[in-house]
Amino acid sequence: MTFMEIILQLIPGMGRSIMIFLLTLLFSMPLGLIITFGRMSKCAPLRIILKGYISIMRGTPLVLQLMVVYFGPYFIFGIRITDSYRLYAVLIAFAINYAAYFAEIYRGGIASMEEGQYEAAKLLGYSKTQTFGKIILPQVIKRIIPSVTNEVITLVKDTSLSFAIAYVEIFTMTKALAAAQSSMLPFVAAGIFYYIFNLVVAIIMEKLEKKLTYYR
C-alpha cells in the first residue's frame, strides 16, 4: 500500500478528530467562562464546589475521566451502553476537562486586571455588565491568548485518547492499519496530520493575537 493510499484510508478518521476538536472547543470555552463566574462569586459553597471540580479535572488523567464517563452509566446505574454513546462520552469527557483548564485561564486573566479600571468605569456610569463586556473582557482575551493557544494545541493531540473507548478517529484507524500492513507508514501519516493540524491552529491563534494588539 502506497503512502497516498494510506492517507486516503485515514481521511475519515481525520474528519472525526477535527470534529472532536471543534465540538470540544464549542462546549468547553463557554462552560469554562460560566465556571469562572461561579468560582469568583460571593457564594462560598459554590466556590468550594467549583474549586473541587477544577482540582479533580486537573488532577486526574483525561483518559481516566473518559473511561468513567463511558463506563459509569453501566456500572453505576446499570444503563446499557450503545456504540452511538461513544462519541457523546468523548465530547462530555473532553468538554468538562477542558472547561476546568479554560476556567482557570479566564480567572487568571480577570484577576490580573487593575482595580482602577473598575473604579473608572463606575465613575463613568457603566454598570457591572457593561464594564465587564466593554472594558474588561476585550483586555482579558488579549492577555489569555497565549495560554489558550497552549491548551488548544494540547487538545489537538488529546483527541487521540478517544481510542481508549474504541471510538474510531485517526489514531484508532492508524493503529489498526499499521497492524494490518505491518508498516510504520500509517504512523508517519498520522504524525504529519497532527503536525499540520497544530501548525494551522498556531498560525490562526497568532493572527488573532496580532489583531488584538490594539488593546495594549
Side-chain angles (χ1 to χ4, degrees):
M1 184 177 290
T2 66
F3 188 69
M4 186 54 65
E5 288 174 334
I6 289 172
I7 290 177
L8 290 175
Q9 287 212 18
L10 292 177
I11 284 176
M14 294 176 185
R16 294 189 186 105
S17 294
I18 292 171
M19 178 184 65
I20 293 170
F21 171 80
L22 293 175
L23 290 177
T24 298
L25 289 183
L26 179 65
F27 294 125
S28 65
M29 297 190 83
L31 179 59
L33 189 58
I34 293 172
I35 293 169
T36 299
F37 292 146
R39 179 81 171 77
M40 301 180 74
S41 74
K42 295 180 180 179
C43 178
L46 180 60
R47 289 201 310 272
I48 293 171
I49 291 171
L50 291 178
K51 185 177 180 179
Y53 157 76
I54 291 171
S55 178
I56 292 171
M57 289 298 104
R58 297 203 304 171
T60 56
L62 175 54
V63 67
L64 176 61
Q65 296 165 20
L66 179 60
M67 298 188 78
V68 168
V69 171
Y70 181 65
F71 293 109
Y74 175 76
F75 288 116
I76 299 174
F77 305 108
I79 299 174
R80 182 174 172 271
I81 298 172
T82 62
D83 286 340
S84 61
Y85 178 61
R86 294 183 199 276
L87 175 58
Y88 294 112
V90 168
L91 295 178
I92 292 169
F94 277 53
I96 62 176
N97 177 276
Y98 273 85
Y101 284 92
F102 285 133
E104 285 299 276
I105 291 172
Y106 297 154
R107 187 176 68 86
I110 294 171
S112 70
M113 299 303 299
E114 298 78 8
E115 191 65 32
Q117 295 202 44
Y118 293 94
E119 295 173 356
K122 187 175 181 180
L123 290 173
L124 292 171
Y126 282 84
S127 66
K128 289 184 178 179
T129 303
Q130 289 174 323
T131 300
F132 182 80
K134 295 182 178 181
I135 300 175
I136 304 300
L137 185 59
Q139 296 180 74
V140 168
I141 292 173
K142 164 62 181 174
R143 294 187 182 190
I144 66 175
I145 283 292
S147 298
V148 170
T149 299
N150 288 337
E151 290 303 319
V152 172
I153 288 175
T154 300
L155 173 57
V156 172
K157 294 176 286 187
D158 277 352
T159 58
S160 63
L161 295 177
S162 302
F163 86 94
I165 59 170
Y167 180 72
V168 183
E169 40 68 65
I170 186 172
F171 189 70
T172 310
M173 294 182 69
T174 298
K175 286 176 61 183
L177 195 57
Q181 298 293 321
S182 298
S183 170
M184 285 295 293
L185 281 180
F187 290 114
V188 174
I192 292 172
F193 164 75
Y194 284 118
Y195 177 75
I196 292 175
F197 195 176
N198 267 324
L199 186 62
V200 170
V201 169
I203 291 171
I204 292 172
M205 297 302 286
E206 184 179 356
K207 287 185 177 181
L208 178 60
E209 186 174 0
K210 287 180 179 178
K211 283 188 177 181
L212 294 172
T213 52
Y214 58 82
Y215 285 118
R216 285 177 179 173

PDB file of all heavy atoms in Angstrom, residues 27-41:
ATOM      1  N   PHE A  27     -18.100  23.647  23.238  1.00  0.00           N
ATOM      2  CA  PHE A  27     -18.761  23.428  24.525  1.00  0.00           C
ATOM      3  C   PHE A  27     -17.907  23.860  25.714  1.00  0.00           C
ATOM      4  O   PHE A  27     -18.426  24.417  26.687  1.00  0.00           O
ATOM      5  CB  PHE A  27     -19.132  21.946  24.689  1.00  0.00           C
ATOM      6  CG  PHE A  27     -20.168  21.462  23.725  1.00  0.00           C
ATOM      7  CD1 PHE A  27     -19.935  20.368  22.919  1.00  0.00           C
ATOM      8  CD2 PHE A  27     -21.387  22.117  23.601  1.00  0.00           C
ATOM      9  CE1 PHE A  27     -20.888  19.914  22.008  1.00  0.00           C
ATOM     10  CE2 PHE A  27     -22.348  21.687  22.695  1.00  0.00           C
ATOM     11  CZ  PHE A  27     -22.099  20.584  21.905  1.00  0.00           C
ATOM     12  N   SER A  28     -16.604  23.622  25.651  1.00  0.00           N
ATOM     13  CA  SER A  28     -15.757  23.848  26.825  1.00  0.00           C
ATOM     14  C   SER A  28     -15.434  25.311  27.087  1.00  0.00           C
ATOM     15  O   SER A  28     -15.331  25.727  28.249  1.00  0.00           O
ATOM     16  CB  SER A  28     -14.453  23.052  26.700  1.00  0.00           C
ATOM     17  OG  SER A  28     -13.681  23.519  25.610  1.00  0.00           O
ATOM     18  N   MET A  29     -15.285  26.112  26.040  1.00  0.00           N
ATOM     19  CA  MET A  29     -14.906  27.515  26.257  1.00  0.00           C
ATOM     20  C   MET A  29     -16.022  28.325  26.935  1.00  0.00           C
ATOM     21  O   MET A  29     -15.757  29.023  27.919  1.00  0.00           O
ATOM     22  CB  MET A  29     -14.455  28.150  24.945  1.00  0.00           C
ATOM     23  CG  MET A  29     -13.203  27.488  24.374  1.00  0.00           C
ATOM     24  SD  MET A  29     -12.449  28.342  22.975  1.00  0.00           S
ATOM     25  CE  MET A  29     -11.459  29.571  23.823  1.00  0.00           C
ATOM     26  N   PRO A  30     -17.277  28.242  26.475  1.00  0.00           N
ATOM     27  CA  PRO A  30     -18.348  28.939  27.196  1.00  0.00           C
ATOM     28  C   PRO A  30     -18.571  28.359  28.592  1.00  0.00           C
ATOM     29  O   PRO A  30     -18.818  29.104  29.546  1.00  0.00           O
ATOM     30  CB  PRO A  30     -19.582  28.721  26.314  1.00  0.00           C
ATOM     31  CG  PRO A  30     -19.052  28.350  24.977  1.00  0.00           C
ATOM     32  CD  PRO A  30     -17.770  27.619  25.241  1.00  0.00           C
ATOM     33  N   LEU A  31     -18.494  27.025  28.707  1.00  0.00           N
ATOM     34  CA  LEU A  31     -18.669  26.394  30.020  1.00  0.00           C
ATOM     35  C   LEU A  31     -17.592  26.854  30.983  1.00  0.00           C
ATOM     36  O   LEU A  31     -17.863  27.104  32.166  1.00  0.00           O
ATOM     37  CB  LEU A  31     -18.630  24.867  29.865  1.00  0.00           C
ATOM     38  CG  LEU A  31     -18.773  24.046  31.152  1.00  0.00           C
ATOM     39  CD1 LEU A  31     -20.085  24.367  31.853  1.00  0.00           C
ATOM     40  CD2 LEU A  31     -18.677  22.548  30.850  1.00  0.00           C
ATOM     41  N   GLY A  32     -16.385  27.001  30.488  1.00  0.00           N
ATOM     42  CA  GLY A  32     -15.292  27.482  31.326  1.00  0.00           C
ATOM     43  C   GLY A  32     -15.548  28.876  31.854  1.00  0.00           C
ATOM     44  O   GLY A  32     -15.229  29.186  33.014  1.00  0.00           O
ATOM     45  N   LEU A  33     -16.145  29.736  31.035  1.00  0.00           N
ATOM     46  CA  LEU A  33     -16.451  31.102  31.463  1.00  0.00           C
ATOM     47  C   LEU A  33     -17.526  31.097  32.550  1.00  0.00           C
ATOM     48  O   LEU A  33     -17.430  31.844  33.528  1.00  0.00           O
ATOM     49  CB  LEU A  33     -16.915  31.935  30.264  1.00  0.00           C
ATOM     50  CG  LEU A  33     -17.075  33.433  30.503  1.00  0.00           C
ATOM     51  CD1 LEU A  33     -15.766  34.057  30.970  1.00  0.00           C
ATOM     52  CD2 LEU A  33     -17.577  34.130  29.241  1.00  0.00           C
ATOM     53  N   ILE A  34     -18.520  30.233  32.385  1.00  0.00           N
ATOM     54  CA  ILE A  34     -19.575  30.108  33.404  1.00  0.00           C
ATOM     55  C   ILE A  34     -18.971  29.636  34.725  1.00  0.00           C
ATOM     56  O   ILE A  34     -19.299  30.147  35.805  1.00  0.00           O
ATOM     57  CB  ILE A  34     -20.662  29.125  32.930  1.00  0.00           C
ATOM     58  CG1 ILE A  34     -21.406  29.703  31.726  1.00  0.00           C
ATOM     59  CG2 ILE A  34     -21.648  28.820  34.059  1.00  0.00           C
ATOM     60  CD1 ILE A  34     -22.361  28.733  31.059  1.00  0.00           C
ATOM     61  N   ILE A  35     -18.076  28.653  34.639  1.00  0.00           N
ATOM     62  CA  ILE A  35     -17.418  28.134  35.840  1.00  0.00           C
ATOM     63  C   ILE A  35     -16.580  29.223  36.500  1.00  0.00           C
ATOM     64  O   ILE A  35     -16.530  29.334  37.728  1.00  0.00           O
ATOM     65  CB  ILE A  35     -16.545  26.915  35.490  1.00  0.00           C
ATOM     66  CG1 ILE A  35     -17.428  25.750  35.040  1.00  0.00           C
ATOM     67  CG2 ILE A  35     -15.683  26.492  36.680  1.00  0.00           C
ATOM     68  CD1 ILE A  35     -16.659  24.601  34.424  1.00  0.00           C
ATOM     69  N   THR A  36     -15.944  30.057  35.690  1.00  0.00           N
ATOM     70  CA  THR A  36     -15.138  31.164  36.222  1.00  0.00           C
ATOM     71  C   THR A  36     -15.999  32.113  37.042  1.00  0.00           C
ATOM     72  O   THR A  36     -15.605  32.523  38.145  1.00  0.00           O
ATOM     73  CB  THR A  36     -14.475  31.948  35.073  1.00  0.00           C
ATOM     74  OG1 THR A  36     -13.620  31.079  34.349  1.00  0.00           O
ATOM     75  CG2 THR A  36     -13.657  33.117  35.610  1.00  0.00           C
ATOM     76  N   PHE A  37     -17.165  32.476  36.505  1.00  0.00           N
ATOM     77  CA  PHE A  37     -18.060  33.373  37.243  1.00  0.00           C
ATOM     78  C   PHE A  37     -18.472  32.746  38.576  1.00  0.00           C
ATOM     79  O   PHE A  37     -18.530  33.428  39.604  1.00  0.00           O
ATOM     80  CB  PHE A  37     -19.305  33.686  36.406  1.00  0.00           C
ATOM     81  CG  PHE A  37     -19.022  34.530  35.193  1.00  0.00           C
ATOM     82  CD1 PHE A  37     -19.744  34.350  34.014  1.00  0.00           C
ATOM     83  CD2 PHE A  37     -18.048  35.507  35.208  1.00  0.00           C
ATOM     84  CE1 PHE A  37     -19.491  35.120  32.895  1.00  0.00           C
ATOM     85  CE2 PHE A  37     -17.784  36.284  34.101  1.00  0.00           C
ATOM     86  CZ  PHE A  37     -18.511  36.090  32.930  1.00  0.00           C
ATOM     87  N   GLY A  38     -18.759  31.436  38.555  1.00  0.00           N
ATOM     88  CA  GLY A  38     -19.124  30.751  39.795  1.00  0.00           C
ATOM     89  C   GLY A  38     -17.953  30.686  40.761  1.00  0.00           C
ATOM     90  O   GLY A  38     -18.112  30.854  41.971  1.00  0.00           O
ATOM     91  N   ARG A  39     -16.767  30.443  40.209  1.00  0.00           N
ATOM     92  CA  ARG A  39     -15.547  30.339  41.028  1.00  0.00           C
ATOM     93  C   ARG A  39     -15.212  31.668  41.691  1.00  0.00           C
ATOM     94  O   ARG A  39     -14.613  31.694  42.772  1.00  0.00           O
ATOM     95  CB  ARG A  39     -14.401  29.904  40.103  1.00  0.00           C
ATOM     96  CG  ARG A  39     -13.045  29.760  40.750  1.00  0.00           C
ATOM     97  CD  ARG A  39     -12.888  28.459  41.467  1.00  0.00           C
ATOM     98  NE  ARG A  39     -11.503  28.302  41.875  1.00  0.00           N
ATOM     99  CZ  ARG A  39     -10.934  28.921  42.905  1.00  0.00           C
ATOM    100  NH1 ARG A  39     -11.638  29.747  43.661  1.00  0.00           N
ATOM    101  NH2 ARG A  39      -9.665  28.700  43.202  1.00  0.00           N
ATOM    102  N   MET A  40     -15.605  32.784  41.061  1.00  0.00           N
ATOM    103  CA  MET A  40     -15.298  34.110  41.597  1.00  0.00           C
ATOM    104  C   MET A  40     -16.500  34.759  42.278  1.00  0.00           C
ATOM    105  O   MET A  40     -16.432  35.926  42.653  1.00  0.00           O
ATOM    106  CB  MET A  40     -14.796  35.006  40.456  1.00  0.00           C
ATOM    107  CG  MET A  40     -13.553  34.490  39.763  1.00  0.00           C
ATOM    108  SD  MET A  40     -12.961  35.560  38.421  1.00  0.00           S
ATOM    109  CE  MET A  40     -12.259  36.920  39.367  1.00  0.00           C
ATOM    110  N   SER A  41     -17.594  34.007  42.431  1.00  0.00           N
ATOM    111  CA  SER A  41     -18.802  34.566  43.035  1.00  0.00           C
ATOM    112  C   SER A  41     -18.642  34.740  44.545  1.00  0.00           C
ATOM    113  O   SER A  41     -17.683  34.236  45.151  1.00  0.00           O
ATOM    114  CB  SER A  41     -20.002  33.652  42.748  1.00  0.00           C
ATOM    115  OG  SER A  41     -19.934  32.484  43.543  1.00  0.00           O
TER     116      SER A  41
END
